[in-house]
Amino acid sequence: MLMTARAMTPKARCEHHLDAMPCDFSTFLWLWNDTERRSTPSVHLMMSGWLDSMVAARKQGLVLLAFRGAGKSTLVGIFCAWLLLCDPERRILVLSAEHHLASKMTRHVRRVIERHPLTQGLRGGLGGHKTAESWAYDQLTVRRRYAGRDPSLIARGLTANVTGIRADMMIYDDVEVPNSCDTAVKRQDLRTRLSETAYILTPHGMQLYIGTPHCYDTIYKPLVSGTPCYLQGFERLDVPLLDAQGRSAWRERFDEKAIARLRQQTGPRRFAAQMLLCPQSPEESRLDVRGIVPYDAELTYGEALSQPVLTLGDKRLVSASCWWDPAWGGAQKNCGSVIAVLYTDEDGGLWLHGLRWLGEEKEQRTQDHEDDASRQCGEALDFLAEHYLSSVHIEVNGLGKFLPSLLRRVSQERGVMLSVIEHHSTKPKHVRILEAFDAVLAAKALHVHARVIASPFMDELRHWQAVGYKGRDDALDAVSGCLSSEPIRFNRHSFTPSKAQPRRWQGRDAVEANCAFDVMA
């Protein structure tokens, strides 16, 4: 006698529905794209064929890694709709780094079920009635025979409480993102949270990880030379953008020009991790000094049609970023206080024109009664005036907390209008430096003045490395701040510069208004 579906064990019920599938996933995907009047790229057919073979083989642990922009989350959303078509009693839990990312998957599955020609019978919950609860933005319940406590598909962020949920299928959609893996503590916390989800999965359930590696110590790291990895024993499919012969996996979207442009914009290190699925070891991370473009032109200030104009050679400058990384003690403590300025021209070119170490010549100054912090503020104001700036970013981590208010006071005493922007850095210094320099050096987009090249900046650039570096990197930190901060666009209103006031290029001059009047009720 044949067992009824209700009397079957979970494993037997799963095998029963797999044997009675209406079509394979590749066909289901092709029908969906045909309904939407879209073609099915070959890279999606390869991934869908792999998923078909894994489901047919009853594999319980899967890892699908694909380059950014490959449409892997879109593909897996269609895969979820197909799984519910094969077994409407199935319960799927989608976990992402954040709740809104997981909800995107649920909304996509909902649209597929509503529009795919094979899933029209799934619309609605128990008894075919679609309610707000059964068809919400972060959960849905398809038409199924038995009422269950859990929805057919539910989306949650990784930090949410999912203790009471049970699932036959778990989708881990981009659980590793920069915010969850940029430090060792966060990477360990990510692994701990993922391990807790093992109690949610039913004994014969399936797990599917999809994503791209964002760090060298990634959860997706494969088993190499017997070294243990987090997802050991999982079946995996890696789909890099370029194969061993350098051919694109999706030529219609990523042709040679698009790949070259992407490589230039992101830099070799990030391109290797996100597009080739090969994150670089921190020990191998260095900065390529060959990307530096030297120049020796000087700033020229003028006015045209009552508008201020700042040029560098034949280039007109349109914005600037000034960054001050403060420190006390100077060279004696192997930690310098450095201020840097970076200009941007009309074509987007970057020009590192000024770099100065503050407070290291205090023995040559006559104002011995002046404290070190006030002296550095004075030197910083001199630097700003020389470079026609009236705005500066200050890193306020640690010793720099009180510096913005002191700089504002000193500037007021000099009669100088100054915009001070406070910045608190949360990323490790080596990460900030790598992210700032990697792409611009690879693109040879950073022009450096001869004075800066003759300074200790170039030695820092040559010898710096991400791990184990004990030398000075103060100039690199200041310049990386300029590269990473939002540039201040030069304003176009006219003004009359004075000796006490540096020529204002950022922000607006203060305007006094007559407010000695009464407001009638």
Side-chain angles (χ1 to χ4, degrees):
M1 180 181 294
L2 294 175
M3 294 188 297
T4 63
R6 191 170 188 175
M8 291 181 181
T9 64
K11 182 177 181 180
R13 179 165 56 84
C14 177
E15 294 176 352
H16 168 75
H17 283 286
L18 285 173
D19 294 336
M21 287 188 300
C23 67
D24 59 15
F25 174 52
S26 297
T27 303
F28 185 87
L29 172 66
W30 183 89
L31 286 172
W32 167 251
N33 286 332
D34 185 66
T35 301
E36 296 294 299
R37 298 182 179 180
R38 291 196 300 257
S39 61
T40 304
S42 58
V43 65
H44 285 187
L45 289 174
M46 177 182 63
M47 290 189 284
S48 63
W50 179 77
L51 288 172
D52 268 328
S53 63
M54 293 297 102
V55 172
R58 278 48 166 191
K59 299 295 184 180
Q60 292 184 267
L62 308 177
V63 180
L64 173 58
L65 295 186
F67 56 91
R68 294 286 293 273
K72 51 189 176 298
S73 295
T74 300
L75 180 75
V76 171
I78 304 171
F79 180 63
C80 290
W82 176 74
L83 289 174
L84 292 175
L85 175 64
C86 297
D87 182 6
E89 309 299 323
R90 193 190 306 268
R91 298 162 297 178
I92 302 175
L93 173 62
V94 178
L95 284 177
S96 295
E98 297 179 359
H99 181 70
H100 73 92
L101 295 176
S103 300
K104 287 178 62 177
M105 175 78 74
T106 308
R107 291 194 295 270
H108 178 49
V109 175
R110 189 174 62 184
R111 286 194 298 269
V112 173
I113 292 176
E114 290 173 343
R115 302 181 62 172
H116 199 288
L118 298 182
T119 56
Q120 298 305 301
L122 295 179
R123 299 175 62 178
L126 185 65
H129 301 291
K130 188 165 64 176
T131 63
E133 180 183 359
S134 66
W135 218 244
Y137 81 100
D138 61 350
Q139 67 179 46
L140 62 89
T141 301
V142 300
R143 181 181 294 179
R144 55 190 183 185
R145 181 176 301 179
Y146 306 109
R149 192 178 59 144
D150 297 307
S152 299
L153 188 145
I154 186 170
R156 289 291 182 267
L158 193 60
T159 59
N161 183 11
V162 292
T163 304
I165 300 176
R166 293 294 176 269
D168 306 303
M169 176 76 181
M170 295 193 65
I171 307 289
Y172 302 87
D173 181 20
D174 281 328
V175 291
E176 181 181 283
V177 295
N179 289 340
S180 64
C181 69
D182 57 355
T183 65
V185 175
K186 290 182 180 180
R187 291 193 291 271
Q188 182 58 44
D189 181 64
L190 174 62
R191 285 165 168 76
T192 301
R193 291 184 180 277
L194 292 176
S195 299
E196 290 294 323
T197 62
Y199 301 105
I200 299 171
L201 191 69
T202 55
H204 301 287
M206 178 185 293
Q207 294 175 287
L208 172 59
Y209 282 81
I210 57 175
T212 53
H214 285 268
C215 62
Y216 182 70
D217 187 20
T218 176
I219 60 173
Y220 309 121
K221 183 182 295 186
L223 182 65
V224 179
S225 301
T227 304
C229 60
Y230 180 73
L231 298 177
Q232 189 169 347
F234 279 57
E235 300 290 335
R236 58 188 296 129
L237 174 66
D238 291 2
V239 187
L241 177 59
L242 301 176
D243 61 13
Q245 287 73 38
R247 295 172 298 190
S248 174
W250 194 348
R251 297 180 183 178
E252 298 81 4
R253 175 171 291 188
F254 296 94
D255 56 14
E256 292 183 2
K257 292 183 178 179
I259 294 173
R261 182 172 59 252
L262 186 63
R263 193 192 297 268
Q264 180 179 2
Q265 292 174 347
T266 61
R269 180 174 171 272
R270 186 172 296 181
F271 183 87
Q274 299 287 282
M275 307 306 292
L276 304 181
L277 312 181
C278 297
Q280 188 178 24
S281 169
E283 288 79 4
E284 300 173 359
S285 299
R286 302 182 70 89
L287 302 177
D288 188 1
V289 296
R290 295 173 296 178
I292 293 293
V293 181
Y295 74 97
D296 57 3
E298 298 296 341
L299 294 173
T300 302
Y301 169 80
E303 292 188 10
L305 300 176
S306 300
Q307 299 293 329
V309 177
L310 190 64
T311 58
L312 191 60
D314 59 348
K315 296 289 186 179
R316 179 169 180 174
L317 306 178
V318 296
S319 65
S321 297
C322 184
W323 187 279
W324 182 7
D325 180 21
W328 320 124
Q332 295 85 355
K333 293 188 177 181
N334 198 35
C335 185
S337 181
V338 181
I339 187 170
V341 59
L342 181 81
Y343 294 102
T344 306
D345 63 30
E346 292 177 311
D347 300 323
L350 302 175
W351 304 82
L352 178 58
H353 192 76
L355 192 66
R356 184 170 299 173
W357 279 257
L358 306 179
E360 296 192 358
E361 299 179 358
K362 61 182 179 179
E363 66 277 0
Q364 301 177 8
R365 305 188 57 108
T366 58
Q367 298 178 346
D368 294 335
H369 64 280
E370 191 176 23
D371 62 274
D372 189 25
S374 299
R375 185 182 298 108
Q376 288 194 30
C377 287
E379 294 178 15
L381 290 175
D382 294 339
F383 180 86
L384 294 170
E386 292 172 15
H387 294 87
Y388 307 97
L389 301 172
S390 57
S391 177
V392 60
H393 292 77
I394 298 183
E395 186 173 340
V396 295
N397 297 47
L399 297 175
K401 292 180 180 179
F402 72 94
L403 199 59
S405 59
L406 178 60
L407 181 60
R408 294 187 183 102
R409 190 190 72 189
V410 175
S411 64
Q412 289 175 0
E413 292 174 353
R414 290 193 179 190
V416 175
M417 298 179 63
L418 180 66
S419 174
V420 180
I421 304 170
E422 302 178 22
H423 182 86
H424 182 81
S425 299
T426 57
K427 293 182 179 180
K429 182 186 291 189
H430 72 276
V431 174
R432 299 198 305 266
I433 294 175
L434 268 179
E435 291 180 349
F437 279 96
D438 192 52
V440 296
L441 290 180
K444 295 186 176 180
L446 183 61
H447 303 77
V448 181
H449 195 275
R451 284 190 304 271
V452 179
I453 292 179
S455 73
F457 169 75
M458 291 302 294
D459 285 335
E460 293 185 11
L461 195 67
R462 291 188 186 96
H463 299 107
W464 183 88
Q465 57 186 22
V467 177
Y469 181 66
K470 302 299 183 181
R472 299 183 67 169
D473 54 7
D474 312 301
L476 293 178
D477 197 15
V479 177
S480 68
C482 291
L483 291 168
S484 304
S485 62
E486 184 69 21
I488 307 298
R489 297 285 296 188
F490 297 155
N491 65 343
R492 294 186 176 275
H493 66 284
S494 61
F495 58 87
T496 302
S498 64
K499 294 183 179 180
Q501 168 66 37
R503 295 162 172 80
R504 286 184 57 82
W505 289 85
Q506 299 116 321
R508 295 281 181 178
D509 288 326
V511 177
E512 290 188 8
N514 181 15
C515 57
F517 54 85
D518 296 329
V519 178
M520 305 228 5

